[in-house]
Amino acid sequence: MPLLDAQNVSKAFGRFRAVADADFAVDQGEIIGLIGPNGAGKSTLFNCLAGDMVPNAGRIIFDGADVTRASAEAHARVGIGRTFQVPTTFEDMSVLDNVMVGAFLRHPHRDDAREQARRIVELTGLKPDQRARSLGTPGRKRLEIARVLATDPRLLLLDESLAGLTPGELQDAIALVRRLHEMGITIVIVEHIMEVIMTLTKRVVVFNQGHVIASGTPEEVVADERVIEAYLGRTGTPERGSKP
Amino acid sequence: MKKLAAPPLGLTLLAVGLVLYPLLFSDAFYRDIGVTFLLAAIAASAWNIVGGYAGQISVGHSMFFGIGAYTPVLFYTLWGWPPLVGIPVGILLSLALAAVIGLPTLRLSGHYFSMATIAVAELIRILVGTWNFVGAAIGLQGPARGRAWWDLTFRSELPYYYIFLVVLGIVLAVTATFESRRFGYYVRAIKAGERAAKSLGVPVHWTKMQALLLSAAFTSIAGSLYVVKTGFVDPGSGFGILVSVQMVIVAALGGAGTLYGPLLGALILIPLQTATNNWLGGGGSGLTFIIYGGIIVLIARFEPGGLSELWHRLLRKRWKRVDATA
């Protein structure tokens, strides 16, 4: 049984169908990439998977339970964690306090939550007393990951969490995602940087105009005619490491 | 067993100062300023729970203040019951009203909650102003002379001062307690970003509701204290928009979402208000509106975090300078 099973999920805004019959599954322990051109519907699908939006049709099953209409809070409680495309840190709070908000989900007592938060902050290489406001983009993205990690997620949805990083920061971030995967967390990652997808994932699902147009290993999808057409509008192979 | 930490020096000095103030300034005028300051600090601290910490800006908190003020004197007028009996009933009514307003509006984002609170408070003010059962436009009066201590009618300002001080202590203690617990983290997270808070499992609607209920209860108590002190309430002094605005301004001036911000705001605003009223006589009361307007503009433009934020920024700068020279 897959950990996450999205069955014919559709989401429309008025007459515009952002996601149309998306159908894919994620097994326990997998790390899969979700790619597609801008406006393909990846973030909308992410919002549906994370409980931020309710799909118009289809079902989302997590660990055998139907979470299609469950709230974002309920998604976090069952173990689905997410980050946002634009980092949404709690600006006036310290790094540790940000992470504690997540930690309180499984550790209602302050001392336990602080202990859990300290462990996570150390793992992610952040400074606990630094104010979130003073962090740069890489720090904010790292803090978002730390915060969601504190909720003990079983499935982590990373929405372009590695975008906008320098090559050095990118390698650090890739190493961090690997560590999370080694900890047993199943990961779905939306990313435009092909280097990340090729390095981290074993399976890639490609989205275009709301539809899943291809699925397979990274090597298979980059050679897929439909994928090339979706990205470039003509035949050709996207270069490894390039931004499609 | 955990050792209790000693209170910080600033807090100790503040507490000692507040306890000694009416003994050092025994003139009725100064004691009255002290009582007014404490009442403003209690009401603003109560507003601060939902408006400052949780970021749900209510501009109609006078509805809870008014209910808290009217209920004790209504009970006295109808059945001669001491105002003390009406205080818990006022709290219950305020809680019920908060639940009715909060249930639908706290689910919405943006300014719907603020608009709903203004609308309901104004509606209640108009209703009370035309309803003979609660004294209509004339209002209601409490006991002119206390039959016993439980009527809470004293000749001197001193008992009021210390009663108000104890209530302020309770409000601050409750706020300080939740500030360092899960609820405190949750309300601050909601204020900073509801969507992100939800994604971390924060029960956003219920947490906002709890903040509103707690805030409404304390605001109701503030209203009750007001009426036992003045012995009189009418629609304007109980439910008027200025009552709500003063809570917002006092908290915002000192620092909304901080424990001592409302205290600091009241410490500046109340003497200022009293001074303008005294210097300019009856015409001075109009100046209050101008001062409020000016303060809103200044805070919004230069220091949205209020004076406590300014103070912390100055302290950080000073520490940096000390570090650099060390």
Side-chain angles (χ1 to χ4, degrees), chain A residues 47 52 73 76 88 97 110-111, chain B residues 2 180 185 195-196 199 201-202:
Chain A
N47 287 335
D52 248 2
E73 297 110 282
T88 52
D97 286 354
R110 183 183 43 184
D111 294 345
Chain B
K2 276 183 186 175
S180 60
Y185 281 80
R195 199 171 163 222
S199 76
V202 175

Side-chain angles (χ1 to χ4, degrees), chain A residues 72-95:
Chain A
E73 297 110 282
H75 276 69
R77 278 199 297 275
V78 298
I80 302 176
R82 73 163 301 174
T83 63
F84 295 89
Q85 207 171 353
V86 178
T88 52
T89 52
F90 306 134
E91 298 289 84
D92 287 331
M93 293 163 84
S94 70
V95 163

Side-chain angles (χ1 to χ4, degrees), chain B residues 96-154:
Chain B
L97 182 63
V100 169
I101 295 169
L103 275 172
T105 54
L106 286 174
R107 282 191 189 282
L108 304 167
S109 56
H111 303 297
Y112 293 103
F113 175 70
S114 304
M115 293 194 297
T117 52
I118 298 176
V120 174
E122 275 301 281
L123 260 170
I124 294 176
R125 188 185 63 80
I126 294 165
L127 190 77
V128 168
T130 53
W131 193 14
N132 288 330
F133 180 68
V134 289
I138 298 162
L140 294 172
Q141 245 180 331
R145 235 176 357 159
R147 297 163 294 186
W149 69 267
W150 57 76
D151 268 343
L152 299 177
T153 307
F154 310 107

Side-chain angles (χ1 to χ4, degrees), chain A residues 211-224:
Chain A
H211 295 273
V212 174
I213 58 164
S215 167
T217 64
E219 290 74 19
E220 283 168 358
V221 297
V222 292
D224 192 303

Side-chain angles (χ1 to χ4, degrees), chain B residues 28-165:
Chain B
F29 173 73
Y30 290 111
R31 282 183 176 176
D32 188 59
I33 293 179
V35 172
T36 312
F37 153 74
L38 289 174
L39 184 66
I42 293 167
S45 296
W47 177 89
N48 194 33
I49 296 169
V50 70
Y53 283 95
Q56 308 303 306
I57 308 297
S58 161
V59 198
H61 250 47
S62 62
M63 64 182 119
F64 309 124
F65 187 91
I67 288 174
Y70 265 82
T71 316
V73 279
L74 183 66
F75 276 30
Y76 172 77
T77 310
L78 291 176
W79 303 296
W81 291 358
L84 260 180
V85 181
I87 296 175
V89 180
I91 294 172
L92 288 176
L93 288 172
S94 293
L95 289 174
L97 182 63
V100 169
I101 295 169
L103 275 172
T105 54
L106 286 174
R107 282 191 189 282
L108 304 167
S109 56
H111 303 297
Y112 293 103
F113 175 70
S114 304
M115 293 194 297
T117 52
I118 298 176
V120 174
E122 275 301 281
L123 260 170
I124 294 176
R125 188 185 63 80
I126 294 165
L127 190 77
V128 168
T130 53
W131 193 14
N132 288 330
F133 180 68
V134 289
I138 298 162
L140 294 172
Q141 245 180 331
R145 235 176 357 159
R147 297 163 294 186
W149 69 267
W150 57 76
D151 268 343
L152 299 177
T153 307
F154 310 107
R155 281 176 182 276
S156 161
E157 300 282 339
L158 205 61
Y160 293 116
Y161 183 90
Y162 285 114
I163 291 170
F164 285 24
L165 188 58

Side-chain angles (χ1 to χ4, degrees), chain A residues 47 52 72-73 76-77 80 82 84 88 90-91 93 97 100-102 104-105 108 110-111 114 131 147-148 151, chain B residues 2 177 180-182 184-186 188-190 192-193 195-205 309 316:
Chain A
N47 287 335
D52 248 2
E73 297 110 282
R77 278 199 297 275
I80 302 176
R82 73 163 301 174
F84 295 89
T88 52
F90 306 134
E91 298 289 84
M93 293 163 84
D97 286 354
M100 276 179 76
V101 174
F104 274 120
L105 181 65
R110 183 183 43 184
D111 294 345
R114 181 170 290 135
R131 271 210 180 190
R147 213 172 50 182
V148 69
T151 65
Chain B
K2 276 183 186 175
T177 306
S180 60
R181 283 176 166 69
R182 181 167 70 168
Y185 281 80
Y186 277 5
R188 283 186 290 152
I190 289 168
R195 199 171 163 222
K198 274 184 192 167
S199 76
L200 298 171
V202 175
V204 169
H205 186 235
E309 176 64 29
R316 276 198 296 274

